[in-house]
Amino acid sequence: MRNEPVKRISDSDAAKKVDRVPLQTAQQIKARLDQLEKAERYEVVQSAMCYDVAMPPDRVDYLCPKCGARTVFTDFHKDYILELSAARREVKPLNARLAAVRAQIRISLDETTLCSRCSKGKTGYYAVLVTTDRKGNAHRADLEQPEAIYQLLCLFQGKRYAGLTPLSEVAPKLRQLLGMDHEPKK
């Protein structure tokens, strides 16, 4: 047996040299081991990994649910848009819960301020939470935190917490979103 490597190859070249035949029987395994003993020896050279992996661009593509137009957001809007897509899924269960408790309001999201086409190039910072009462009066409030939709759902389910957040801490914000901030507190 030779102890010195005959030539150098890279990791990818070494991978190409591996016999890909499945080893199922004892004869096949013995033949493969014999083949390896007689094979030319290689020293596998690994390249250095002394660089940082580039971060993905800090951006997200927003698709308008109304018109289907694509708007690219960057910076802090990236996280907001990602959270908004999760909040959008909470609107239907929230309205179902409102109907179950016979509440006189319905909730919807108006995202036209985020769409470059619907807002005619003047995109806003936030989607708008629209609370409509039984008479058709609508209250509009900027949805600064998309998790407020989940907090409203928890409120109408009779819970005291939304995840780890006590609803008592966010009650003033929920009151403002529902258009009840003008009513006197009890």
Side-chain angles (χ1 to χ4, degrees), residues 6-66:
V6 175
K7 62 181 180 179
R8 295 174 170 227
I9 60 171
S10 67
D11 289 336
S12 59
D13 291 334
K16 292 175 188 172
K17 297 235 180 238
V18 174
D19 189 1
R20 301 280 186 209
V21 177
L23 303 175
Q24 297 172 344
T25 66
Q27 284 180 329
Q28 289 173 330
I29 294 171
K30 185 176 182 298
R32 177 69 176 134
L33 289 171
D34 290 341
Q35 178 188 9
L36 288 174
E37 282 183 9
K38 295 174 187 173
E40 191 174 6
R41 295 191 183 261
Y42 298 97
E43 178 182 346
V44 178
V45 179
Q46 295 181 344
S47 60
M49 299 288 286
C50 56
Y51 56 88
D52 289 332
V53 177
M55 294 298 293
D58 202 15
R59 59 176 264 172
V60 67
D61 291 340
Y62 169 75
L63 295 176
C64 179
K66 185 175 180 180

Coordinates of all heavy atoms in Angstrom, one line a residue, residues 6-66:
V6 N -1.1 10.6 -4.6 CA -0.5 10.7 -5.9 C -0.8 12.0 -6.5 O 0.0 12.7 -7.1 CB -1.0 9.5 -6.8 CG1 -0.5 9.7 -8.2 CG2 -0.6 8.2 -6.2
K7 N -2.0 12.5 -6.4 CA -2.4 13.8 -6.9 C -3.5 14.4 -6.0 O -4.1 13.8 -5.2 CB -2.8 13.7 -8.3 CG -4.0 12.9 -8.6 CD -4.3 12.9 -10.1 CE -5.5 12.1 -10.4 NZ -5.8 12.1 -11.9
R8 N -3.7 15.7 -6.2 CA -4.7 16.5 -5.5 C -5.9 16.7 -6.3 O -5.8 17.0 -7.5 CB -4.1 17.8 -5.0 CG -2.9 17.7 -4.1 CD -2.3 19.1 -3.8 NE -1.4 19.0 -2.8 CZ -1.4 19.8 -1.7 NH1 -2.2 20.8 -1.7 NH2 -0.5 19.6 -0.8
I9 N -7.1 16.6 -5.7 CA -8.3 16.9 -6.4 C -9.2 17.7 -5.4 O -9.0 17.7 -4.2 CB -9.1 15.6 -6.8 CG1 -9.4 14.7 -5.7 CG2 -8.3 14.9 -7.9 CD1 -10.3 13.6 -6.0
S10 N -10.2 18.4 -6.0 CA -11.1 19.2 -5.1 C -12.2 18.3 -4.6 O -12.4 17.1 -5.0 CB -11.7 20.3 -6.0 OG -12.5 19.8 -7.0
D11 N -13.0 18.8 -3.7 CA -14.2 18.1 -3.1 C -15.1 17.6 -4.2 O -15.6 16.5 -4.2 CB -14.9 19.0 -2.2 CG -14.2 19.2 -0.9 OD1 -13.3 18.4 -0.5 OD2 -14.5 20.2 -0.2
S12 N -15.4 18.5 -5.2 CA -16.4 18.1 -6.2 C -15.8 17.0 -7.1 O -16.5 16.1 -7.6 CB -16.8 19.3 -7.0 OG -15.7 19.9 -7.6
D13 N -14.5 17.1 -7.4 CA -13.9 16.0 -8.2 C -13.9 14.7 -7.5 O -14.1 13.6 -8.1 CB -12.5 16.4 -8.6 CG -12.4 17.5 -9.6 OD1 -13.4 17.7 -10.4 OD2 -11.4 18.3 -9.6
A14 N -13.7 14.7 -6.2 CA -13.7 13.5 -5.4 C -15.1 12.9 -5.4 O -15.2 11.7 -5.5 CB -13.2 13.8 -4.0
A15 N -16.1 13.7 -5.3 CA -17.5 13.2 -5.3 C -17.8 12.5 -6.6 O -18.5 11.5 -6.7 CB -18.4 14.4 -5.1
K16 N -17.2 13.0 -7.8 CA -17.5 12.4 -9.1 C -16.8 11.0 -9.2 O -17.3 10.2 -9.9 CB -17.0 13.3 -10.2 CG -17.8 14.6 -10.3 CD -17.1 15.5 -11.4 CE -17.8 16.8 -11.4 NZ -17.1 17.8 -12.2
K17 N -15.7 10.8 -8.4 CA -15.0 9.6 -8.5 C -15.6 8.4 -7.7 O -15.2 7.3 -7.8 CB -13.6 9.8 -8.0 CG -12.8 10.8 -8.9 CD -11.6 10.1 -9.4 CE -10.8 11.1 -10.3 NZ -10.6 10.6 -11.6
V18 N -16.6 8.8 -6.8 CA -17.2 7.7 -6.0 C -18.1 6.8 -6.8 O -18.9 7.3 -7.6 CB -18.0 8.4 -4.8 CG1 -18.8 7.4 -4.1 CG2 -17.1 9.2 -3.9
D19 N -17.9 5.5 -6.6 CA -18.7 4.6 -7.3 C -20.2 4.6 -6.8 O -20.4 4.4 -5.6 CB -18.1 3.2 -7.1 CG -18.8 2.1 -8.0 OD1 -19.7 2.5 -8.8 OD2 -18.4 1.0 -8.0
R20 N -21.1 4.9 -7.6 CA -22.5 5.1 -7.2 C -23.3 3.8 -7.2 O -24.5 3.8 -7.0 CB -23.2 6.1 -8.0 CG -22.6 7.5 -8.0 CD -22.9 8.2 -6.8 NE -22.4 9.6 -6.9 CZ -22.1 10.3 -5.9 NH1 -22.2 9.8 -4.7 NH2 -21.6 11.5 -6.0
V21 N -22.7 2.6 -7.4 CA -23.4 1.3 -7.5 C -23.8 1.0 -6.1 O -23.0 1.0 -5.2 CB -22.5 0.2 -8.1 CG1 -23.2 -1.1 -8.1 CG2 -22.1 0.6 -9.5
P22 N -25.1 0.6 -5.9 CA -25.5 0.2 -4.5 C -24.8 -1.1 -4.1 O -24.6 -2.0 -4.9 CB -27.0 0.0 -4.6 CG -27.3 -0.2 -6.1 CD -26.2 0.5 -6.8
L23 N -24.4 -1.1 -2.8 CA -23.8 -2.3 -2.3 C -24.8 -3.1 -1.4 O -25.1 -2.7 -0.3 CB -22.6 -1.9 -1.4 CG -21.5 -1.0 -2.1 CD1 -20.5 -0.5 -1.1 CD2 -20.9 -1.7 -3.2
Q24 N -25.2 -4.2 -2.0 CA -26.3 -4.9 -1.4 C -25.9 -6.3 -0.9 O -26.3 -6.7 0.2 CB -27.5 -5.1 -2.4 CG -28.1 -3.8 -2.8 CD -29.1 -4.0 -3.9 OE1 -29.1 -5.0 -4.6 NE2 -29.9 -3.0 -4.2
T25 N -25.0 -6.9 -1.5 CA -24.6 -8.3 -1.1 C -23.2 -8.2 -0.5 O -22.4 -7.2 -0.7 CB -24.6 -9.3 -2.3 OG1 -23.6 -8.9 -3.2 CG2 -25.9 -9.3 -3.0
A26 N -22.8 -9.2 0.2 CA -21.5 -9.3 0.8 C -20.4 -9.3 -0.3 O -19.3 -8.7 -0.2 CB -21.3 -10.6 1.7
Q27 N -20.7 -10.0 -1.4 CA -19.7 -10.0 -2.6 C -19.5 -8.6 -3.1 O -18.4 -8.3 -3.5 CB -20.2 -11.0 -3.7 CG -20.1 -12.4 -3.3 CD -20.6 -13.3 -4.5 OE1 -21.5 -12.9 -5.2 NE2 -20.0 -14.5 -4.6
Q28 N -20.6 -7.9 -3.3 CA -20.4 -6.5 -3.8 C -19.6 -5.6 -2.9 O -18.8 -4.8 -3.3 CB -21.8 -5.9 -4.0 CG -22.6 -6.5 -5.2 CD -24.0 -6.0 -5.3 OE1 -24.6 -5.6 -4.3 NE2 -24.5 -5.9 -6.5
I29 N -19.9 -5.8 -1.6 CA -19.1 -5.0 -0.6 C -17.6 -5.3 -0.6 O -16.8 -4.5 -0.6 CB -19.7 -5.2 0.8 CG1 -21.1 -4.6 0.9 CG2 -18.8 -4.5 1.9 CD1 -21.9 -4.9 2.1
K30 N -17.3 -6.7 -0.7 CA -15.9 -7.1 -0.7 C -15.3 -6.6 -2.0 O -14.1 -6.2 -2.0 CB -15.9 -8.6 -0.6 CG -14.5 -9.2 -0.5 CD -14.5 -10.7 -0.4 CE -13.1 -11.3 -0.2 NZ -12.2 -11.1 -1.3
A31 N -16.0 -6.7 -3.1 CA -15.4 -6.2 -4.4 C -15.1 -4.7 -4.3 O -14.1 -4.3 -4.8 CB -16.3 -6.6 -5.5
R32 N -16.0 -4.0 -3.7 CA -15.8 -2.5 -3.6 C -14.6 -2.2 -2.8 O -13.8 -1.3 -3.1 CB -17.1 -1.9 -3.1 CG -17.0 -0.4 -2.9 CD -16.9 0.3 -4.2 NE -16.9 1.7 -3.9 CZ -16.2 2.6 -4.5 NH1 -15.3 2.2 -5.4 NH2 -16.2 3.9 -4.2
L33 N -14.5 -2.9 -1.6 CA -13.3 -2.7 -0.8 C -12.0 -3.0 -1.5 O -11.0 -2.3 -1.3 CB -13.5 -3.5 0.5 CG -14.6 -3.0 1.5 CD1 -14.8 -4.0 2.6 CD2 -14.2 -1.6 2.0
D34 N -12.0 -4.2 -2.2 CA -10.8 -4.5 -3.0 C -10.5 -3.4 -4.0 O -9.3 -3.1 -4.2 CB -11.0 -5.9 -3.7 CG -11.1 -7.0 -2.8 OD1 -10.6 -6.9 -1.6 OD2 -11.6 -8.1 -3.2
Q35 N -11.5 -2.9 -4.7 CA -11.3 -1.9 -5.7 C -10.7 -0.6 -5.0 O -9.8 0.0 -5.6 CB -12.7 -1.5 -6.3 CG -12.6 -0.4 -7.3 CD -14.0 0.0 -7.8 OE1 -15.0 -0.4 -7.2 NE2 -14.1 0.9 -8.8
L36 N -11.2 -0.3 -3.8 CA -10.7 0.9 -3.1 C -9.2 0.7 -2.7 O -8.4 1.7 -2.8 CB -11.5 1.2 -1.9 CG -12.9 1.8 -2.1 CD1 -13.7 1.9 -0.8 CD2 -12.8 3.1 -2.8
E37 N -8.8 -0.5 -2.3 CA -7.4 -0.7 -1.9 C -6.5 -0.6 -3.1 O -5.4 -0.1 -3.0 CB -7.3 -2.1 -1.4 CG -7.8 -2.2 0.1 CD -7.5 -3.6 0.6 OE1 -6.9 -4.5 0.0 OE2 -8.0 -3.9 1.7
K38 N -6.9 -1.0 -4.3 CA -6.1 -0.9 -5.5 C -6.2 0.5 -6.2 O -5.4 0.8 -7.0 CB -6.5 -1.9 -6.5 CG -6.3 -3.4 -6.0 CD -6.9 -4.3 -7.0 CE -6.9 -5.8 -6.4 NZ -7.6 -6.7 -7.2
A39 N -7.1 1.3 -5.8 CA -7.3 2.6 -6.5 C -6.2 3.6 -6.1 O -5.5 3.5 -5.1 CB -8.7 3.2 -6.1
E40 N -6.1 4.5 -7.0 CA -5.1 5.6 -6.9 C -5.5 6.4 -5.7 O -6.7 6.7 -5.5 CB -5.1 6.4 -8.2 CG -4.0 7.4 -8.3 CD -4.0 8.1 -9.6 OE1 -4.9 7.9 -10.4 OE2 -3.1 8.8 -9.9
R41 N -4.6 6.9 -4.9 CA -4.9 7.7 -3.7 C -4.9 9.2 -4.1 O -4.1 9.6 -4.8 CB -3.9 7.4 -2.6 CG -4.0 6.0 -2.1 CD -3.2 5.8 -0.8 NE -3.3 4.4 -0.5 CZ -4.1 3.9 0.4 NH1 -4.9 4.7 1.1 NH2 -4.1 2.6 0.7
Y42 N -5.8 9.9 -3.4 CA -6.0 11.3 -3.7 C -5.9 12.0 -2.4 O -6.3 11.5 -1.3 CB -7.3 11.6 -4.3 CG -7.5 11.0 -5.7 CD1 -8.2 9.8 -5.8 CD2 -7.0 11.6 -6.8 CE1 -8.4 9.2 -7.0 CE2 -7.2 11.0 -8.0 CZ -7.9 9.8 -8.2 OH -8.1 9.2 -9.4
E43 N -5.4 13.2 -2.4 CA -5.5 14.1 -1.3 C -6.6 15.1 -1.6 O -6.5 15.9 -2.6 CB -4.2 14.9 -1.1 CG -4.2 15.9 0.1 CD -2.9 16.6 0.2 OE1 -1.9 16.2 -0.3 OE2 -3.0 17.6 0.9
V44 N -7.6 15.2 -0.9 CA -8.7 16.1 -1.1 C -8.4 17.4 -0.6 O -8.1 17.6 0.6 CB -10.0 15.6 -0.5 CG1 -11.2 16.5 -0.8 CG2 -10.4 14.2 -1.1
V45 N -8.4 18.4 -1.5 CA -8.1 19.8 -1.1 C -9.4 20.6 -0.9 O -10.2 20.6 -1.8 CB -7.3 20.5 -2.2 CG1 -6.9 21.9 -1.8 CG2 -6.0 19.7 -2.4
Q46 N -9.6 21.1 0.3 CA -10.8 21.9 0.6 C -10.4 23.4 0.5 O -9.4 23.8 1.1 CB -11.3 21.5 2.0 CG -11.8 20.1 2.1 CD -12.4 19.8 3.4 OE1 -12.1 20.5 4.4 NE2 -13.1 18.7 3.5
S47 N -11.3 24.1 -0.1 CA -11.0 25.5 -0.2 C -11.4 26.2 1.1 O -12.3 25.7 1.9 CB -11.8 26.1 -1.4 OG -13.2 25.9 -1.2
A48 N -10.9 27.4 1.4 CA -11.2 28.1 2.6 C -12.5 28.8 2.5 O -13.0 29.2 1.4 CB -10.1 29.2 2.8
M49 N -13.2 28.9 3.6 CA -14.5 29.5 3.7 C -14.3 30.8 4.6 O -14.9 30.9 5.6 CB -15.5 28.6 4.3 CG -15.7 27.3 3.6 SD -16.6 27.5 2.0 CE -18.2 27.8 2.7
C50 N -13.5 31.7 4.1 CA -13.2 32.8 4.9 C -13.9 34.1 4.4 O -13.4 35.2 4.4 CB -11.7 33.1 5.0 SG -11.0 33.2 3.3
Y51 N -15.2 33.9 4.1 CA -16.0 35.1 3.6 C -17.3 35.0 4.3 O -17.8 33.9 4.7 CB -16.1 35.1 2.1 CG -16.7 33.8 1.5 CD1 -18.0 33.7 1.4 CD2 -15.8 32.8 1.1 CE1 -18.6 32.5 0.9 CE2 -16.4 31.6 0.6 CZ -17.7 31.5 0.5 OH -18.3 30.4 -0.1
D52 N -18.0 36.1 4.4 CA -19.3 36.1 4.9 C -20.3 35.9 3.8 O -20.2 36.4 2.7 CB -19.6 37.5 5.5 CG -18.9 37.7 6.8 OD1 -18.6 36.6 7.5 OD2 -18.6 38.8 7.2
V53 N -21.3 35.2 4.1 CA -22.4 34.9 3.1 C -23.2 36.2 3.0 O -23.6 36.8 4.0 CB -23.3 33.8 3.5 CG1 -24.5 33.6 2.6 CG2 -22.5 32.5 3.7
A54 N -23.5 36.6 1.8 CA -24.2 37.8 1.5 C -25.7 37.7 2.0 O -26.3 36.6 1.8 CB -24.2 38.2 0.0
M55 N -26.2 38.7 2.7 CA -27.5 38.7 3.2 C -28.5 38.9 2.0 O -28.1 39.6 1.0 CB -27.8 39.8 4.2 CG -27.0 39.6 5.5 SD -27.4 38.0 6.3 CE -29.1 38.4 6.8
P56 N -29.6 38.3 2.0 CA -30.6 38.6 0.9 C -31.0 40.0 1.0 O -30.9 40.7 2.0 CB -31.8 37.7 1.2 CG -31.6 37.3 2.7 CD -30.2 37.4 3.0
P57 N -31.4 40.6 -0.1 CA -31.8 42.0 -0.2 C -32.9 42.2 0.9 O -33.8 41.4 1.0 CB -32.3 42.2 -1.6 CG -32.2 41.0 -2.3 CD -31.6 39.9 -1.4
D58 N -32.9 43.4 1.5 CA -33.9 43.7 2.5 C -35.1 44.3 1.8 O -35.3 45.5 1.8 CB -33.3 44.7 3.5 CG -34.0 44.7 4.8 OD1 -34.8 43.8 5.1 OD2 -33.8 45.7 5.6
R59 N -35.9 43.4 1.2 CA -37.0 43.9 0.4 C -38.0 42.8 0.3 O -37.7 41.6 0.6 CB -36.6 44.2 -1.0 CG -35.9 43.1 -1.8 CD -35.6 43.4 -3.2 NE -36.7 42.8 -4.0 CZ -36.8 43.0 -5.3 NH1 -35.9 43.8 -5.9 NH2 -37.8 42.5 -5.9
V60 N -39.3 43.1 0.0 CA -40.3 42.2 -0.2 C -41.3 42.7 -1.3 O -41.5 43.9 -1.4 CB -41.1 41.9 1.2 CG1 -41.9 43.2 1.6 CG2 -42.0 40.8 1.1
D61 N -41.8 41.8 -2.0 CA -42.7 42.1 -3.1 C -44.1 42.0 -2.5 O -44.5 41.0 -1.9 CB -42.6 41.1 -4.3 CG -41.3 41.3 -5.0 OD1 -40.7 42.4 -4.9 OD2 -40.9 40.4 -5.8
Y62 N -44.9 43.1 -2.6 CA -46.3 43.1 -2.1 C -47.2 43.0 -3.3 O -47.1 43.7 -4.3 CB -46.5 44.4 -1.4 CG -48.0 44.7 -1.1 CD1 -48.6 44.0 -0.1 CD2 -48.7 45.6 -1.8 CE1 -49.9 44.2 0.2 CE2 -50.1 45.8 -1.6 CZ -50.7 45.1 -0.5 OH -52.0 45.3 -0.3
L63 N -48.1 42.0 -3.2 CA -49.1 41.8 -4.3 C -50.5 42.3 -3.8 O -51.0 41.8 -2.8 CB -49.2 40.4 -4.7 CG -48.0 39.8 -5.4 CD1 -48.2 38.3 -5.6 CD2 -47.7 40.5 -6.6
C64 N -51.0 43.3 -4.4 CA -52.3 43.9 -4.0 C -53.4 42.9 -4.2 O -53.6 42.3 -5.3 CB -52.5 45.2 -4.9 SG -54.1 46.0 -4.5
P65 N -54.2 42.7 -3.1 CA -55.3 41.7 -3.2 C -56.4 42.2 -4.1 O -57.2 41.5 -4.6 CB -55.7 41.5 -1.8 CG -55.2 42.6 -1.0 CD -54.0 43.1 -1.8
K66 N -56.5 43.6 -4.3 CA -57.5 44.2 -5.1 C -57.3 44.1 -6.6 O -58.1 43.7 -7.4 CB -57.8 45.6 -4.7 CG -58.9 46.3 -5.3 CD -59.2 47.7 -4.8 CE -60.3 48.3 -5.4 NZ -60.6 49.7 -4.9

